[in-house]
Amino acid sequence: LPETRTDAAMSELVPEPRPKPAVPMKPVSINSNLLGYIGIDTIIEQMRKKTMKTGFDFNIMVVGQSGLGKSTLVNTLFKSQVSRKASSWNREEKIPKTVEIKAIGHVIEEGGVKMKLTVIDTPGFGDQINNENCWEPIEKYINEQYEKFLKEEVNIARKKRIPDTRVHCCLYFISPTGHSLRPLDLEFMKHLSKVVNIIPVIAKADTMTLEEKSEFKQRVRKELEVNGIEFYPQKEFDEDLEDKTENDKIRQESMPFAVVGSDKEYQVNGKRVLGRKTPWGIIEVENLNHCEFALLRDFVIRTHLQDLKEVTHNIHYETYRAKRLNDNGGLPPGEGLLGTVLPPVPATPCPTAE
Amino acid sequence: RSFTMLARMGEGCRTVPLAGHVGFDSLPDQLVNKSVSQGFCFNILCVGETGLGKSTLMDTLFNTKFEGEPATHTQPGVQLQSNTYDLQESNVRLKLTIVSTVGFGDQINKEDSYKPIVEFIDAQFEAYLQEELKIRRVLHTYHDSRIHVCLYFIAPTGHSLKSLDLVTMKKLDSKVNIIPIIAKADAISKSELTKFKIKITSELVSNGVQIYQFPTDDESVAEINGTMNAHLPFAVIGSTEELKIGNKMMRARQYPWGTVQVENEAHCDFVKLREMLIRVNMEDLREQTHTRHYELYRRCKLEEMGFKDTDPDSKPFSLQETYEAKRNEFLGELQKKEEEMRQMFVQRVKEKEAELKEAEKELHEKFDRLKKLHQDEKKKLEDKKKSLDDEVNAFKQRKTAAELLQSQGSQAGGSQTLKRDKEKKK
């Protein structure tokens, strides 16, 4: 194309391909000064009331080798028996041959807020002798939930509230070896960090001293960076400077959280605390000097819960949807895209949304 | 009620008690904070005849003076004028859009008066739908232009609704939340007003017009909303003038027989309107627009385009074809544009070529002309030269002849000359 023409001239020459829809409104804002109270700020209360009425969904997945304390941690996080511990399984049940996906939902209520919490357990992950591609069933499950949501969204007569089974948060348990990440850890996080929010945690952190912990964390952070693994909160989704500073601190100093879980209570200094009793002392789960459980809890539940859901919905889900609609899922044209048989999950990572 | 709520949520899930404070009760705050940082949108449509005080009411409701010129009665057709304003109260930022009809009710033939309004509302739904159907979309930052509430201004005749009002409201009631209001209510006396309200309500009911009902399912607002529903349509007065009444400045209208105070509930329903519209039900109006009116529009539009949901066992629904079609359309457009540009290029090249040829031709012609001119000049000069040469030759000849004559003459008549000279001397 000749470069001598300006764009203006171009648009004159090339006619509009299709008439634009008649939207007469141009959002040209005029700042108006308010003289006196109107009551616009009551919308916050109105909105709050409505959301409390509908309740919330939250779906959290735990991934890690067996014995790392996954169920205990989730139970500690939500202060209830929302996850069934492996040790309570029937002795005759063997370790599953492949990775299984077990989703169990409970309804919990606090301060008038109702939450349907679904804990998705992944027994069998990393437990085989040959663990090649053991993340695939997990990736498949995550994509299946996106698919389910998409199917509902594309319906002509849609439900008022589409049931949300998408995984909002995936806690990945790192074994506290003190050395470095295992190849399995890296492979899993590399694949999955593109489709779901991953929060890496160092499990059973009571086996490390403070120095060991600090060094291990630094090494893990470095390794994740070197391998291009973006865990939640991802840098590219920081909305503004305030977010960025807050999240930078978490990303560069606190994460990955070194945690200890427990559902037993002990008496310490006249108070009943959650802890682990050892011959050499009681490890207080919620004591920040002992472990970072409280940081993890505050991060996931008290400050970033809504954000985890929004990033899942606005970014991961949208990425899945865009790829799905663009590719037709690899099916030949004419065949139903959103058919009953799920087409093979693309092995290549999804392109991240701009 | 909480039991049924849990049952609906859980769908088979057990409820588990918590052994301590977890902290997810901060979730509504987390959600609200996100909305606050993004800001809110609220879009009001004012439908009513010219001169019923639509702009004044908006100024009064939002305690500010929005810019604008009062309309004339001479509009050839109904148009819609829309303005967007940024308002802020404490930490809440609101993008308020006010759309007003211009020229409504002024024409002699009002059969089509409702059409521009319906088209406008549909256009906003359409814009949202288009965004929703996009492959790469950004719904969470999309500026929502859908109309959340329609304030229908009824003229204070005191008798009944005009047929234009009934027709228009009937066309709008499935597309937007309608709140009917009696405008310039200071023209009606109190007793007339009660009768007027009853007449209007019964006419709306008998014509099957669905106006917006303030929701009564939330126990915290059920009572006030229920009471307010009975006061519809609200009789309102707007004023941007403030007068001193007692020791306070109030919005009012002064007449010789007394002063009408806008915010006095005994004088008019303005306070009720503000309460219902903004302070209690703004969020519900937005929600109803999205979950009811928009969904209806979307369903109708998609069915119109020929798509159906099919049951999950048989072949899946063909809404996917929309995406196929869109993608193909997009590719087709690109190809078409490319083709057009190529053709345009070829065309331009041809034109340029023709231009250059033309120029070349001209140059040739010019050259030929000049050449001819030059040749002519040359010829002229040559002719002149020739004639000059001829003259010179002739002169030379004459000169030679003259010299010859002179030399002959001087020998013969040389003495004569001398004699003559001598005689002269004598």
Side-chain angles (χ1 to χ4, degrees):
Chain A
L1 286 169
E3 281 132 19
T4 46
R5 279 176 223 159
T6 60
D7 286 319
M10 247 337 182
S11 59
E12 276 169 36
L13 301 172
V14 179
E16 289 291 331
R18 169 179 56 129
K20 291 196 191 94
V23 181
M25 280 218 286
K26 277 175 286 192
V28 171
S29 293
I30 305 168
N31 275 309
S32 280
N33 291 316
L34 299 178
L35 328 147
Y37 180 68
I38 299 171
I40 298 173
D41 55 359
T42 57
I43 195 170
I44 292 186
E45 233 356 87
Q46 297 176 32
M47 195 178 255
R48 196 200 303 268
K49 267 201 214 118
K50 274 202 184 279
T51 55
M52 300 235 336
K53 211 169 134 228
T54 43
F56 301 86
D57 285 339
F58 190 64
N59 309 318
I60 186 168
M61 178 186 265
V62 285
V63 182
Q65 288 168 283
S66 39
L68 282 181
K70 303 189 291 290
S71 303
T72 314
L73 183 69
V74 174
N75 288 342
T76 320
L77 267 176
F78 291 100
K79 292 225 160 78
S80 57
Q81 296 293 317
V82 284
S83 184
R84 192 160 154 255
K85 284 195 260 193
S87 57
S88 65
W89 285 353
N90 202 318
R91 287 287 160 98
E92 275 142 24
E93 285 175 37
K94 298 183 197 152
I95 290 174
K97 287 256 166 54
T98 56
V99 179
E100 287 180 352
I101 315 274
K102 286 196 171 144
I104 304 169
H106 292 96
V107 174
I108 47 181
E109 184 184 340
E110 187 176 66
V113 178
K114 292 178 184 64
M115 180 151 90
K116 174 157 174 258
L117 174 72
T118 306
V119 179
I120 303 139
D121 203 354
T122 54
F125 178 84
D127 291 333
Q128 323 306 331
I129 291 179
N130 181 358
N131 287 309
E132 256 173 31
N133 301 333
C134 67
W135 56 83
E136 275 180 6
I138 298 175
E139 201 176 343
K140 179 159 170 258
Y141 176 84
I142 291 173
N143 284 330
E144 269 169 6
Q145 308 318 305
Y146 291 145
E147 185 68 26
K148 231 191 263 184
F149 195 89
L150 180 61
K151 227 172 173 158
E152 278 297 332
E153 203 194 7
V154 178
N155 262 336
I156 296 199
R158 315 195 268 206
K159 293 198 185 120
K160 204 165 186 178
R161 194 167 159 240
I162 301 177
D164 191 358
T165 55
R166 301 171 295 185
V167 178
H168 302 125
C169 169
C170 173
L171 292 181
Y172 187 79
F173 286 68
I174 298 169
S175 195
T177 58
H179 296 295
S180 62
L181 289 172
R182 293 202 179 120
L184 178 61
D185 300 332
L186 289 168
E187 278 304 300
F188 176 86
M189 286 196 272
K190 224 190 271 189
H191 280 94
L192 275 278
S193 60
K194 304 244 177 15
V195 296
V196 73
N197 296 322
I198 295 195
I199 296 181
V201 292
I202 300 170
K204 300 206 162 169
D206 49 342
T207 56
M208 291 188 285
T209 64
L210 284 177
E211 293 88 31
E212 285 168 351
K213 219 191 292 186
S214 166
E215 277 169 21
F216 186 41
K217 280 170 68 155
Q218 258 182 326
R219 261 196 299 273
V220 167
R221 275 198 295 268
K222 195 75 201 297
E223 265 189 294
L224 291 174
E225 194 187 326
V226 160
N227 281 279
I229 296 169
E230 276 245 56
F231 52 85
Y232 178 87
Q234 299 91 334
K235 263 186 281 233
E236 50 184 328
F237 307 142
D238 284 336
E239 276 173 20
D240 50 37
L241 196 61
E242 206 185 308
D243 267 359
K244 188 168 172 343
T245 14
E246 190 192 329
N247 289 340
D248 270 345
K249 192 163 183 294
I250 297 171
R251 278 188 290 258
Q252 286 155 17
E253 290 170 24
S254 322
M255 284 179 87
F257 299 110
V259 295
V260 172
S262 169
D263 48 8
K264 293 197 173 60
E265 284 188 336
Y266 297 96
Q267 195 88 357
V268 173
N269 293 337
K271 272 172 55 187
R272 285 197 70 73
V273 293
L274 282 173
R276 279 175 67 77
K277 191 165 182 195
T278 68
W280 45 92
I282 295 178
I283 305 160
E284 296 163 53
V285 165
E286 282 172 307
N287 185 337
L288 278 173
N289 292 323
H290 292 197
C291 80
E292 293 165 356
F293 168 81
L295 287 181
L296 174 69
R297 178 202 55 209
D298 287 349
F299 179 64
V300 172
I301 299 177
R302 296 183 187 176
T303 57
H304 286 71
L305 196 95
Q306 183 60 26
D307 189 59
L308 280 161
K309 290 176 64 172
E310 291 202 1
V311 171
T312 307
H313 179 64
N314 293 330
I315 295 168
H316 294 304
Y317 169 69
E318 287 296 321
T319 309
Y320 176 84
R321 176 182 172 276
K323 191 160 202 298
R324 223 32 193 120
L325 299 177
N326 246 335
D327 295 346
N328 198 25
L331 289 174
E335 270 205 37
L337 161 71
L338 301 165
T340 46
V341 176
L342 197 69
V345 169
T348 51
C350 288
T352 49
E354 279 106 34
Chain B
R1 204 178 57 86
S2 60
F3 191 77
T4 47
M5 161 82 240
L6 286 174
R8 209 189 317 143
M9 269 196 82
E11 288 167 26
C13 288
R14 279 174 38 231
T15 315
V16 257
L18 300 177
H21 180 65
V22 175
F24 62 88
D25 52 353
S26 66
L27 206 43
D29 284 322
Q30 291 182 37
L31 196 142
V32 160
N33 284 339
K34 278 218 177 271
S35 298
V36 165
S37 61
Q38 278 168 6
F40 300 88
C41 264
F42 195 59
N43 308 319
I44 303 179
L45 169 66
C46 292
V47 176
E49 292 175 20
T50 316
L52 278 182
K54 301 189 287 293
S55 333
T56 312
L57 184 67
M58 287 298 109
D59 287 347
T60 320
L61 257 178
F62 292 101
N63 256 342
T64 181
K65 185 86 185 76
F66 294 122
E67 281 165 26
E69 293 289 320
T72 65
H73 288 277
T74 54
Q75 298 286 331
V78 177
Q79 286 178 322
L80 287 121
Q81 195 179 61
S82 136
N83 289 298
T84 308
Y85 309 97
D86 278 330
L87 304 175
Q88 182 152 1
E89 203 162 61
S90 50
N91 61 338
V92 175
R93 283 175 302 117
L94 183 72
K95 235 186 182 60
L96 175 73
T97 302
I98 300 178
V99 187
S100 268
T101 54
V102 177
F104 187 73
D106 280 333
Q107 296 77 32
I108 294 174
N109 182 356
K110 294 177 259 214
E111 272 175 359
D112 291 341
S113 291
Y114 71 88
K115 283 194 188 151
I117 305 173
V118 169
E119 277 167 13
F120 183 87
I121 295 175
D122 279 347
Q124 311 317 310
F125 284 146
E126 185 63 31
Y128 191 90
L129 181 63
Q130 288 299 320
E131 183 66 30
E132 204 186 14
L133 288 179
K134 272 197 197 152
I135 292 188
R136 279 194 184 280
R137 57 189 192 180
V138 266
L139 273 176
H140 61 284
T141 50
Y142 178 76
H143 173 73
D144 190 2
S145 61
R146 298 172 296 182
I147 301 294
H148 299 122
V149 66
C150 168
L151 295 177
Y152 195 93
F153 287 68
I154 298 167
T157 58
H159 299 307
S160 61
L161 286 173
K162 299 188 183 166
S163 42
L164 175 65
D165 296 336
L166 278 170
V167 164
T168 311
M169 280 200 268
K170 193 88 178 88
K171 292 279 182 191
L172 294 178
D173 69 356
S174 58
K175 292 192 175 284
V176 71
N177 301 316
I178 299 181
I179 298 182
I181 59 183
I182 300 168
K184 296 198 164 174
D186 48 350
I188 315 178
S189 75
K190 211 164 176 123
S191 53
E192 285 170 354
L193 189 63
T194 326
K195 272 193 253 166
F196 192 30
K197 280 193 183 184
I198 293 173
K199 190 76 172 50
I200 291 175
T201 318
S202 71
E203 279 191 322
L204 288 174
V205 164
S206 60
N207 281 277
V209 175
Q210 301 274 352
I211 58 171
Y212 175 72
Q213 293 296 308
F214 304 120
T216 49
D217 47 359
D218 186 330
E219 49 200 16
S220 57
V221 291
E223 199 186 320
I224 187 173
N225 276 347
T227 324
M228 292 297 180
N229 274 326
H231 281 276
L232 285 169
F234 292 137
V236 292
I237 299 163
S239 171
T240 44
E241 275 174 41
E242 288 197 329
L243 300 167
K244 196 164 181 136
I245 296 164
N247 54 352
K248 272 176 67 177
M249 292 299 285
M250 287 194 211
R251 287 176 184 265
R253 286 175 62 77
Q254 189 149 64
Y255 292 104
W257 47 86
T259 310
V260 181
Q261 295 154 30
V262 168
E263 292 192 46
N264 186 334
E265 289 200 67
H267 290 192
C268 76
D269 297 331
F270 172 81
V271 170
K272 294 191 179 69
L273 174 68
R274 184 180 58 198
E275 195 69 21
M276 287 293 99
L277 183 67
I278 300 175
R279 296 183 190 175
V280 177
N281 299 301
M282 188 152 72
E283 184 57 26
D284 186 66
L285 286 163
R286 280 157 36 106
E287 194 185 287
Q288 291 291 321
T289 306
H290 180 63
T291 58
R292 222 162 48 124
H293 300 297
Y294 169 70
E295 284 297 313
L296 183 63
Y297 175 84
R298 179 181 172 274
R299 199 159 57 233
C300 292
K301 193 74 199 294
L302 294 178
E303 278 171 6
E304 198 183 282
M305 300 207 295
F307 299 123
K308 292 193 273 291
D309 286 335
T310 54
D311 51 300
D313 297 327
S314 61
K315 253 194 165 261
F317 44 83
S318 52
L319 185 56
Q320 173 49 25
E321 284 172 28
T322 318
Y323 296 110
E324 278 290 334
K326 271 194 173 294
R327 197 155 30 106
N328 291 333
E329 192 188 329
F330 181 62
L331 289 174
E333 270 172 36
L334 283 179
Q335 275 182 338
K336 189 165 157 229
K337 244 189 173 151
E338 198 185 319
E339 190 54 45
E340 276 171 18
M341 289 206 268
R342 196 180 311 137
Q343 290 206 357
M344 203 56 61
F345 175 60
V346 167
Q347 177 77 358
R348 271 292 184 93
V349 166
K350 272 203 186 115
E351 277 173 19
K352 202 67 184 194
E353 204 178 5
E355 255 176 63
L356 288 173
K357 272 209 168 83
E358 190 63 39
E360 191 183 23
K361 190 164 152 216
E362 263 177 46
L363 276 174
H364 276 303
E365 276 176 14
K366 205 170 179 185
F367 180 66
D368 286 340
R369 259 204 315 276
L370 282 174
K371 192 168 170 189
K372 185 160 187 298
L373 218 69
H374 173 72
Q375 279 180 337
D376 285 346
E377 281 286 317
K378 194 170 172 193
K379 182 140 193 312
K380 260 196 214 146
L381 283 172
E382 280 180 9
D383 284 346
K384 250 192 168 153
K385 185 172 178 222
K386 186 160 187 300
S387 63
L388 207 66
D389 280 345
D390 286 345
E391 267 183 53
V392 168
N393 282 340
F395 179 71
K396 273 196 180 144
Q397 277 182 354
R398 281 215 303 274
K399 186 180 172 195
T400 340
E403 279 176 355
L404 203 62
L405 221 61
Q406 215 175 31
S407 62
Q408 282 178 351
S410 63
Q411 279 180 7
S415 51
Q416 278 182 344
T417 325
L418 281 166
K419 262 184 194 171
R420 228 188 290 145
D421 284 337
K422 275 178 185 171
E423 270 178 59
K424 271 184 189 167
K425 282 180 187 171
K426 281 179 188 172

